[in-house]
Amino acid sequence: MDYTILIGGAAGQGIETVVHLLERTIKRSGYHVFTYKNYMSMVRGGHNFMQVRFSDKPLYTYKTKVDMIFALTEESVQIHRENLNEDGIILVDDEMLQEEDFYHLSLNKIAKEIGNSKIIPTIGFGAIVKYLGMDIEIAENAVKEMFKDRILEVNLKGLIKGYDIGIEKYSIELKKDENIIINGNQALALGAIAAGVKYYCGYPMTPSTSVMSYISSKASQMGILVDQIEDEVGALNMVLGATYAGVRAMTGSSGGGFALMTEAMSLAGITELPAVIVNAQRPGPATGLSTRTEQGDLRFVIHSGHGEFPKMVISLRTPEDAFYQTARAFNLAEKYQMPVILLTEEYLTDYMMTSKPFEFDKIRIERYLSSKDELEEGRYKRYKYTDNGVSPRINPGQYEDKIVLVDSHEHDEYGNIDEAIETRNKMMDKRMKKFEILANEVEEPWQMGVDNPEILFVAFGATYGALKEAVDELNKEKSSFGALVYGDIWPFPTKLINELGKNAKKIITIEQNRTGQLESLINEKTRLVVGGRILKYDGRPLNGDEIVKEYKKLK
Amino acid sequence: MNCEYELYDPSWCPGCGNYMIRTALKQALEELNIPPYKAVIVTGIGQAAKMPHYINANGFNGLHGRALPPAIGIKLSNKDLTVIAESGDGDTYGEGGNHFINTIRRNINIAHFVHDNQIYGLTKGQGSPTTALGQITTLQYEGVKVEPVKPLALSLTMGAGFVARGFSGDIPHLVELMKEAILYKGYAHLDILQPCVVWNKVNTYQWYKDRAYKLPDDYDYTDFDLAYKKALEFGDEIPIGILYKVERETYEDRFEFIRNGKPLVDVKLDPMDAEKLMNDFY
Ligand SMILES: Cc1ncc(C[n+]2csc(CCOP(=O)(O)OP(=O)(O)O)c2C)c(N)n1
Ligand SMILES: [Mg+2]
């Protein structure tokens, strides 16, 4: 079974409500769920839609075709009916539209009888529960968790009424449910909290804001200081103050706000202070498409900050990946005393996906702080020359006879301004040495498909899900496809791509940008030749169906 | 405990007001018995901002205009440290203006010493936000064409609970102001008149000396209207001393876990503490 329900309507009509109730009810019935959310940048009006897909097998992306449309406006019927599967159905209010073959219900009339027009989504939800033959008790519990008091009462009435008047088409078998359902930003935030983030400051910007608002919702409970500050310029400087003082700190934004952080990115480089920074991409330039998705900032984040200094960029692939990579980023930032950028994208920040519960006991917290006896006698050398370029790190206020001095100028081992030729050369080499060592510990991309593919797809970040389903689909026809999806992307891991790329007949990059930024990295860091590319930059996420279609066009 | 602050050789010009400010800073910290390892001096970029290199305290010499943001991050992470932000007039009121305004609103317990020489010293004499209208500089050949910032009036209107002005030419008085600012619980703004002997030939040592006068003993520094009037006085007479001082709740005290808890830097980290948060996602 692989079934998709699309809910469409205007912003503010309650699409989110239906989706949330469906997600929970279906998941708790033991199924895998994947919800794709499509927003316009509007609080009221506009056209929004979401697609809840479920199956007894794990899901990684959304489908182009849908099986049911629950239309809250006429417009959503017009826009989406061409994507309805042949045996699909359109659920509408009978006062809104009268068309043969539609699944008509008196949603509006019932809502009026119950006395609250806002419960239309819940009545529709009740009818869908009946249609799919799901357990009404599970649905009831989901409603009870979502509403309170009088609002709960009317919604429960709406649910039951919708269920009563609905028709039953399927009968979904109850299975055991052990999964969680979560989106990329929630998972990222959970990873940060698990890693012990104690200070998060930032300035709201879609699609990064939900990281900050999630952490904020747990701030007092977890003892985390979450601070909405004046601008993104301040944000990263504050974070560096915090990590200098010795706490784990983080900030995040989207392209424009991230741009304002680049001056301090460079400061992190020369002061050798750890920091974890999220860039949640949306299509640029400038304000671009503020609620849509893109992978247009890859080269920008890699090169963010003036001058040359070590940094790491990790692109996030799934919510589960976001959780573990975020926790790992805090360790790496402290191990190498450098900024680590988590590169995510709107699609991943918003889509909801069932995952195995995260294993918090697998998270290691490694601080790499030096103890007193590892330090030299006398004045503390914050930037002591060492074989691996990493100097012993302590916190200010920790030892009575040690003061800690960090500096944005070129400096000597103590952190004092120094312009001597020898110092400059040695300090540059010391910092870049860290990057060389880091390059040995980066993780190779995830590999999928056959072991020795003829056609090798290469992608990064959230394209993972779409590519996974596309490769599985293509391999059904002819078992010759493979793919690599980058997570760690700077320093750029080259081992696997060289191994597979050598023997592949063709390498095809798949990216959500216009200029092929990943391809340019492959050109720069390997001798491989990219033979084809699938590029999408309309702000809408690629799915598996689309990759298969585009691949066939390439041939 | 060692509370003595070693000094290192500065690269400031002979006669620069920064020497006097450093002398006062050393004396203030020593008289308050704050050991160097518990004090942090956070600066931006400029001549004034080189301070951490010339005195043996913890130091964060960051970016131009950005002294306050790291100071905030440090204080919120470790409330046991004495945090002093220090920088020039250009750094503070120009490049860092937005941080200045918002740090005042936040009222975090840090002291802020602004070395106000009414000029860009490090970059060789361009007009600063406090350079007088009409003053000829190395960049404004026909004279500065914008009105100067009135720093104390600005911090007062933004709600600062401690607003003061000192003069680098009166070290004993400056030491007292610095001590008061450090002891004040909240954000303390101390603007320090400082001659730049090379790039500002108008606001010389003598110029300030002729104008600076101490606020009288019976001055009521809790009177906002009076303080505001004094804050605008910058001509033939310039008042020095504490213009305004009242109690205000600090930002950090508004968080129960900071007010009553350990400094954040001392909290033990354990991933399992967060596992319960996953319950929301079943
Ligand atoms: C982003 C940025 N812009 C400009 C500069 C150049 N710059 C450094 S210090 C400074 C002005 C210094 O004036 P002030 O803050 O008053 O300090 P002073 O040297 O007078 O003590 C300027 C323009 C810089 N370092 N960084
Ligand atoms: Mg100046």
Side-chain angles (χ1 to χ4, degrees):
Chain A
M1 146 155 262
D2 188 341
Y3 196 89
T4 296
I5 305 166
L6 183 149
I7 301 101
Q13 266 192 322
I15 299 173
E16 294 258 13
T17 310
V18 188
V19 166
H20 183 87
L21 294 171
L22 274 172
E23 281 169 346
R24 293 294 157 125
T25 307
I26 298 170
K27 184 197 84 77
R28 289 170 189 173
S29 306
Y31 291 78
H32 295 273
V33 180
F34 186 101
T35 307
Y36 160 50
K37 303 185 175 183
N38 187 301
Y39 300 99
M40 286 182 75
S41 178
M42 261 184 230
V43 178
R44 291 216 152 257
H47 174 71
N48 289 349
F49 67 94
M50 297 183 191
Q51 295 182 193
V52 182
R53 178 186 177 197
F54 65 94
S55 170
D56 42 7
K57 296 192 195 66
L59 298 174
Y60 301 91
T61 184
Y62 69 101
K63 297 295 284 179
T64 303
K65 294 273 185 192
V66 304
D67 303 287
M68 177 192 281
I69 296 172
F70 176 18
L72 292 161
T73 55
E74 241 185 281
E75 191 189 14
S76 41
V77 176
Q78 309 315 342
I79 294 175
H80 299 290
R81 70 189 306 172
E82 62 170 342
N83 286 333
L84 192 65
N85 275 322
E86 254 168 49
D87 53 353
I89 191 163
I90 300 182
L91 169 61
V92 289
D93 178 59
D94 55 4
E95 290 171 19
M96 187 177 83
L97 258 181
Q98 283 292 349
E99 246 182 84
E100 238 180 282
D101 297 342
F102 277 23
Y103 179 12
H104 293 110
L105 287 175
S106 306
L107 302 172
N108 201 23
K109 202 170 131 235
I110 296 168
K112 272 192 201 140
E113 279 166 19
I114 297 176
N116 190 328
S117 65
K118 289 220 181 82
I119 62 166
I120 289 177
T122 314
I123 304 168
F125 168 64
I128 297 172
V129 170
K130 179 75 157 284
Y131 190 81
L132 298 173
M134 288 190 296
D135 189 307
I136 184 70
E137 233 176 272
I138 300 177
E140 246 173 1
N141 284 335
V143 172
K144 281 180 190 158
E145 284 167 20
M146 197 165 186
F147 302 102
K148 267 211 257 343
D149 306 330
R150 272 201 31 233
I151 307 290
L152 171 61
E153 245 172 70
V154 288
N155 275 285
L156 277 177
K157 275 190 198 156
L159 170 74
I160 302 298
K161 194 75 195 177
Y163 188 82
D164 287 347
I165 60 167
I167 48 168
E168 189 164 345
K169 168 112 189 249
Y170 300 97
S171 165
I172 284 195
E173 181 197 340
L174 259 182
K175 294 174 189 249
K176 195 162 181 291
D177 164 45
E178 282 166 345
N179 287 329
I180 56 169
I181 181 159
I182 194 162
N183 71 32
N185 272 1
Q186 291 164 337
L188 193 165
L190 268 188
I193 299 174
V197 71
K198 285 285 155 239
Y199 184 61
Y200 187 107
C201 68
Y203 189 91
M205 187 168 184
T206 308
S208 69
T209 314
S210 54
V211 173
M212 178 157 60
S213 46
Y214 179 78
I215 299 178
S216 181
S217 73
K218 306 294 171 195
S220 294
Q221 183 190 353
M222 302 304 293
I224 304 166
L225 205 136
V226 178
D227 211 350
Q228 183 186 328
I229 42 83
E230 60 267 20
D231 56 33
E232 295 86 345
V233 178
L236 187 49
N237 281 285
M238 291 179 197
V239 162
L240 296 179
T243 63
Y244 163 81
V247 310
R248 289 193 151 186
M250 182 180 191
T251 181
S253 188
S254 185
F258 184 85
L260 293 181
M261 294 179 189
T262 56
E263 188 197 25
M265 189 72 69
S266 186
L267 178 66
I270 198 162
T271 52
E272 303 194 46
L273 286 169
V276 178
I277 304 122
V278 179
N279 181 29
Q281 299 167 97
R282 68 194 216 187
T287 308
L289 300 162
S290 51
T291 58
R292 302 200 180 275
T293 203
E294 196 164 86
Q295 297 181 320
D297 292 350
L298 176 62
R299 298 247 37 158
F300 173 50
V301 299
I302 285 175
H303 300 294
S304 57
H306 52 294
E308 298 171 301
F309 57 91
K311 73 163 87 67
M312 182 172 186
V313 180
I314 304 174
S315 68
L316 307 178
R317 292 165 285 204
T318 62
E320 189 183 31
D321 189 44
F323 173 77
Y324 292 108
Q325 290 289 34
T326 302
R328 173 174 167 254
F330 280 91
N331 288 343
L332 289 168
E334 289 190 327
K335 181 171 184 186
Y336 292 97
Q337 304 176 13
M338 64 169 185
V340 177
I341 297 165
L342 297 171
L343 186 64
T344 182
E345 48 209 274
E346 184 276 332
Y347 176 52
L348 171 59
T349 69
D350 272 334
Y351 76 63
M352 294 289 279
M353 177 178 175
T354 39
S355 298
K356 286 196 302 280
F358 301 154
E359 295 176 71
F360 284 70
D361 55 355
K362 287 229 174 101
I363 302 297
R364 297 273 163 274
I365 293 180
E366 289 152 1
R367 302 298 311 267
Y368 303 98
L369 283 166
S370 293
S371 62
K372 185 85 194 276
D373 42 279
E374 290 170 77
L375 304 176
E376 277 177 40
E377 285 291 304
R379 247 185 109 192
Y380 168 61
K381 288 179 172 168
R382 176 66 192 83
Y383 301 108
K384 186 177 153 61
Y385 299 123
T386 59
D387 290 342
N388 62 5
V390 179
S391 315
R393 183 168 159 248
I394 59 171
N395 297 330
Q398 203 175 355
Y399 302 116
E400 266 184 42
D401 60 339
K402 303 282 181 234
I403 65 112
V404 182
L405 177 61
V406 297
D407 184 19
S408 72
H409 303 86
E410 190 56 274
H411 43 246
D412 61 17
E413 288 183 281
Y414 300 105
N416 283 121
I417 306 177
D418 191 348
E419 298 200 352
I421 293 171
E422 195 199 344
T423 310
R424 168 62 174 179
N425 286 333
K426 279 178 89 171
M427 275 299 161
M428 267 308 254
D429 293 345
K430 161 192 160 26
R431 288 188 294 266
M432 293 316 293
K433 182 83 196 171
K434 299 191 293 182
F435 190 67
E436 285 162 28
I437 294 176
L438 169 67
N440 298 323
E441 108 161 60
V442 289
E443 290 174 1
E444 291 293 325
W446 284 349
Q447 186 182 348
M448 312 183 290
V450 299
D451 284 343
N452 268 307
E454 276 177 36
I455 301 293
L456 176 65
F457 294 110
V458 189
F460 70 100
T463 309
Y464 164 76
L467 192 48
K468 164 127 183 88
E469 291 197 9
V471 166
D472 288 349
E473 187 63 33
L474 288 167
N475 275 335
K476 279 184 200 158
E477 290 173 33
K478 182 167 181 252
S479 194
S480 59
F481 296 88
L484 294 176
V485 183
Y486 278 87
D488 289 8
I489 199 159
W490 190 258
F492 190 66
T494 52
K495 204 172 134 255
L496 248 188
I497 193 171
N498 273 324
E499 264 172 43
L500 298 186
K502 256 192 346 249
N503 301 322
K505 272 202 200 135
K506 194 169 181 178
I507 298 174
I508 298 173
T509 47
I510 303 182
E511 304 184 56
Q512 294 237 196
N513 57 51
R514 174 67 175 74
T515 55
Q517 300 185 26
L518 173 63
E519 180 187 350
S520 80
L521 271 183
I522 298 169
N523 289 339
E524 185 183 312
K525 300 295 179 193
T526 74
R527 302 253 159 156
L528 301 167
V529 176
V530 173
R533 55 199 60 81
I534 295 172
L535 301 174
K536 184 174 162 85
Y537 43 89
D538 59 9
R540 279 72 176 169
L542 276 164
N543 65 8
D545 300 335
E546 201 174 349
I547 292 177
V548 171
K549 197 171 108 198
E550 291 300 315
Y551 169 71
K552 289 187 171 159
K553 273 203 247 163
L554 272 186
K555 288 203 302 185
Chain B
M1 203 162 17
N2 170 30
C3 289
E4 200 183 310
Y5 286 76
E6 244 179 278
L7 299 179
Y8 306 112
D9 240 3
S11 63
W12 293 320
C13 310
C16 175
N18 280 327
Y19 287 94
M20 280 86 99
I21 297 175
R22 184 181 62 162
T23 304
L25 176 67
K26 172 178 160 71
Q27 199 181 324
L29 286 165
E30 287 176 354
E31 286 180 18
L32 289 174
N33 283 316
I34 298 167
Y37 86 106
K38 286 287 187 195
V40 194
I41 297 170
V42 190
T43 62
I45 293 293
Q47 287 295 6
K50 288 181 184 164
M51 189 63 89
H53 298 284
Y54 306 145
I55 184 166
N56 188 39
N58 291 299
F60 189 119
N61 183 181
L63 295 167
H64 186 49
R66 325 277 172 232
L68 289 171
I72 289 173
I74 294 165
K75 186 67 192 182
L76 293 176
S77 302
N78 188 349
K79 60 178 180 177
D80 287 352
L81 296 173
T82 297
V83 179
I84 297 168
E86 208 162 343
S87 257
D89 43 320
D91 196 292
T92 308
Y93 307 134
E95 189 84 56
N98 199 22
H99 308 309
F100 177 55
I101 290 172
N102 286 284
T103 302
I104 299 168
R105 289 177 55 217
R106 249 188 191 86
N107 196 33
I108 287 167
N109 189 7
I110 58 178
H112 190 191
F113 302 159
V114 186
H115 304 209
D116 189 354
N117 56 9
Q118 300 188 256
I119 205 78
Y120 281 7
L122 183 76
T123 48
K124 304 191 175 167
Q126 303 84 8
S128 92
T130 50
T131 306
L133 187 68
Q135 185 168 323
I136 291 179
T137 74
T138 58
L139 184 70
Q140 285 81 15
Y141 298 104
E142 296 174 4
V144 170
K145 294 194 195 295
V146 287
E147 287 287 344
V149 164
K150 297 166 185 69
L152 303 186
L154 179 57
S155 57
L156 275 172
T157 41
M158 289 317 301
F162 184 105
V163 177
R165 170 167 277 143
F167 172 35
S168 60
D170 187 342
I171 295 177
H173 184 247
L174 185 57
V175 169
E176 290 314 309
L177 291 178
M178 284 181 166
K179 281 160 68 179
E180 290 264 7
I182 291 168
L183 291 176
Y184 177 74
K185 201 159 176 292
Y187 169 79
H189 180 207
L190 172 60
D191 185 85
I192 305 167
L193 304 172
Q194 172 218 356
C196 170
V197 294
V198 175
W199 302 109
N200 190 340
K201 302 293 189 197
V202 176
N203 310 106
T204 60
Y205 181 76
Q206 196 59 43
W207 190 92
Y208 287 123
K209 195 159 185 288
D210 291 345
R211 288 164 176 78
Y213 74 94
K214 287 188 192 126
L215 290 168
D217 286 344
D218 61 354
Y219 174 80
D220 179 7
Y221 57 59
T222 63
D223 182 340
F224 181 87
D225 293 339
L226 182 60
Y228 196 76
K229 233 170 85 189
K230 289 289 167 196
L232 293 176
E233 218 178 282
F234 200 92
D236 292 344
E237 299 216 294
I238 305 173
I240 59 172
I242 298 175
L243 275 69
Y244 191 60
K245 185 179 154 187
V246 290
E247 274 183 35
R248 291 236 199 287
E249 187 183 25
T250 63
Y251 181 71
E252 52 272 40
D253 274 354
R254 294 186 168 145
F255 298 88
E256 198 277 332
F257 64 92
I258 296 195
R259 190 175 64 241
N260 299 325
K262 290 191 237 181
L264 292 182
V265 65
D266 294 332
V267 176
K268 217 182 141 302
L269 308 183
D270 182 355
M272 295 313 286
D273 292 346
E275 197 185 27
K276 56 181 177 284
L277 301 181
M278 215 172 31
N279 292 340
D280 296 345
F281 300 99
Y282 279 99

